[in-house]
Amino acid sequence: MAIIVKNMLDAKGRDVVTVGPDRTLLEVAEILNQKKIGAVVVTSMEGRIVGIFTERDLVRAIAGKGPGVLDQPVKSAMTTNVHRCKEETTVDELMGIMTGGRFRHVPVEKDGKLDGIVSIGDVVKSRIREVELEAEQMKAYIAG
């Protein structure tokens, strides 16, 4: 049985750190540091995904425009072409999305609104658990 995003969210929770598009890059950098996370989802007042801001976006902004960019709003440096997935997305499909796009965080959308986020760490944990379950099943089958 294929593991789907819903299974991962049910196990880890659906909490997502979000920010509004007008927060400064410095404020968002402080949130990333404080929460020990690599990304925040930028949402509208209606809870719709308008962007994602990652550590890579922060580095790119500072390297391109210097430290003065930290006073700019996050909307000036966020990724606006956000790849999303649904609860029904399989882990294999998610790995393809992440590998193809070379990113480590994918927001989960339900009915047009943010419903969770999945990181590459979540995917790895899920795959490890899946392999462990298969090994247990094989051992049980062989032991008869």
Side-chain angles (χ1 to χ4, degrees):
M1 181 174 101
I3 296 176
I4 59 174
V5 168
K6 181 182 184 319
N7 302 130
M8 287 192 287
L9 292 179
D10 288 347
K12 79 168 208 146
R14 294 174 187 274
D15 291 341
V16 182
V17 177
T18 63
V19 297
D22 294 321
R23 298 289 294 267
T24 68
L25 294 183
L26 181 59
E27 290 173 325
V28 177
E30 290 169 346
I31 291 168
L32 292 172
N33 182 54
Q34 179 186 43
K35 302 281 186 183
K36 296 179 174 55
I37 56 176
V40 295
V41 178
V42 184
T43 56
S44 67
M45 290 185 58
E46 300 82 31
R48 300 213 181 273
I49 300 168
V50 296
I52 190 167
F53 185 77
T54 68
E55 296 162 317
R56 279 187 197 163
D57 293 320
L58 180 61
V59 169
R60 193 175 297 117
I62 294 171
K65 298 179 183 171
V69 76
L70 294 173
D71 294 327
Q72 296 295 314
V74 72
K75 65 185 172 191
S76 69
M78 69 184 184
T79 299
T80 56
N81 184 18
V82 181
H83 288 78
R84 301 159 168 90
C85 68
K86 306 278 185 208
E87 286 187 339
E88 301 79 25
T89 304
T90 66
V91 171
D92 288 340
E93 291 169 331
L94 192 55
M95 286 190 302
I97 292 168
M98 290 177 151
T99 302
R102 296 186 58 152
F103 41 80
R104 300 172 294 184
H105 301 88
V106 178
V108 182
E109 198 172 53
K110 184 176 182 180
D111 300 325
K113 294 195 178 180
L114 183 62
D115 191 42
I117 193 165
V118 182
S119 72
I120 192 69
D122 299 327
V123 172
V124 169
K125 287 178 198 171
S126 175
R127 287 293 290 153
I128 289 170
R129 183 66 187 135
E130 188 175 18
V131 169
E132 289 172 344
L133 286 172
E134 287 175 9
E136 288 173 19
Q137 290 171 348
M138 291 180 91
K139 286 179 189 176
Y141 176 77
I142 292 169

